[in-house]
Every structure is written in C-alpha cells, then in structure tokens.
Amino acid sequence: MDGLMIRRAVASDSGFLRDMLVEAANGGAEPPRSRVAVLDDPSIGRYLAQWPRPGDIGLVAVDRDDTPVGACWARLFPADAPGSGFVASGVPELTLGVNSQWRALGVGRTLLQSLHGAVRAGGYSRVSLSVRRTNVARRLYVSEGYTVVSSSATTDVMVRVLV
C-alpha cells in the first residue's frame, strides 16, 4: 500500500494499541461497547496487560506522516488462563485493529501478512484468533487461509497454519 510503513510495536505504542483493541473488540458488535467498558473487561484487557511481555509480537502501520493507523499483535496465553481464541499452548492469539477511516484500503491485510511473517520468524507454526461472525474482518481472515476450528453462538475460533 502506497505510503504505508509497518514497524515493530514498542512499549510506547501501548496507548495506540489500546485504541486498536477497542476497535477489534467492537468489530461486528451491535451496539458497540464504550471504550471504558471494553478496556475494563478483564477478558479483553488481558490482550495488552503489561505490554510488551516476553514473547509478544506486535506491528504498527503508520502513514506518511508517521501517524499510527492500525496494529496487529500476537500473544501467548497458558492453558489454565486461555484467551477467547485459544487453541493450544504455544499457539499465539492474534488481535487486529484498524482506524475506521483506514478500513477497506488494505491496511488490515498488510498488517496480517506482516504479522504472519513475524510470528513464523518467532518459531511458531500456527496462529489463532476469535472473531464475531458479524465482523467484516472475518472475510479477510478466511481469504488469508484461516479455518474455523470451533464455534459458539456468535463467534468462531480460527487458526492459520504458517508455512
């Protein structure tokens, strides 16, 4: 994508990553939850607690002016405290968020593909996520090779093998 740069997420990006966590958590939600409600929910906030932890892999997309426009990161959770997209120990769970004005322009796909490379370079062979079936990003995940491994009433857990 023209003028878009992808860089590693660092500790000083934690505020922007929280913004993108709110975007991701509200994807396909009707009505969307407030920022406070999302960030105060321990089941969601854990995706960024103490960012970055050892093993966290994160990327930020920035525009020509070095303004962050989207982020994608992966984090490991233990089997005794799994995230919503947990499939197995040693399989990082992915989160992707893009500012609304930058959606449908290829930012999410670029971030996702870049994160796949970073996760693979980190020694992982799979990545997982949880997505609402009403979230338009689900089509992106399917087009990038994610497959459904389990479902609930409203969400799917998806996995992509990284080859």
Side-chain angles (χ1 to χ4, degrees), residues 20-128:
M20 295 302 95
L21 182 59
V22 172
E23 293 292 333
N26 276 326
E30 287 299 329
R33 294 168 65 188
S34 73
R35 176 183 174 81
V36 170
V38 169
L39 296 176
D40 282 351
D41 183 337
S43 69
I44 297 173
R46 63 193 312 240
Y47 284 89
L48 283 176
Q50 294 107 29
W51 176 267
R53 293 186 326 202
D56 287 347
I57 301 169
L59 302 173
V60 175
V62 296
D63 68 9
R64 287 187 178 127
D65 299 322
D66 204 34
T67 301
V69 300
C72 191
W73 63 95
R75 174 170 265 193
L76 291 170
F77 291 100
D80 63 348
S84 59
F86 184 85
V87 295
S89 296
V91 177
E93 293 185 49
L94 176 144
T95 304
L96 171 66
V98 176
N99 280 334
S100 58
Q101 65 270 28
W102 282 86
R103 290 189 194 135
L105 299 174
V107 175
R109 185 175 305 276
T110 300
L111 279 164
L112 190 60
Q113 291 172 347
S114 298
L115 191 76
H116 290 158
V119 168
R120 190 178 315 111
Y124 301 102
S125 61
R126 297 183 295 164
V127 65
S128 68

Side-chain angles (χ1 to χ4, degrees), residues 131-136 138 150-156:
V131 63
R132 271 188 203 88
R133 280 188 216 95
T134 55
N135 187 337
V136 296
R138 189 182 182 286
S150 67
S151 296
S152 71
T154 59
T155 62
D156 290 327

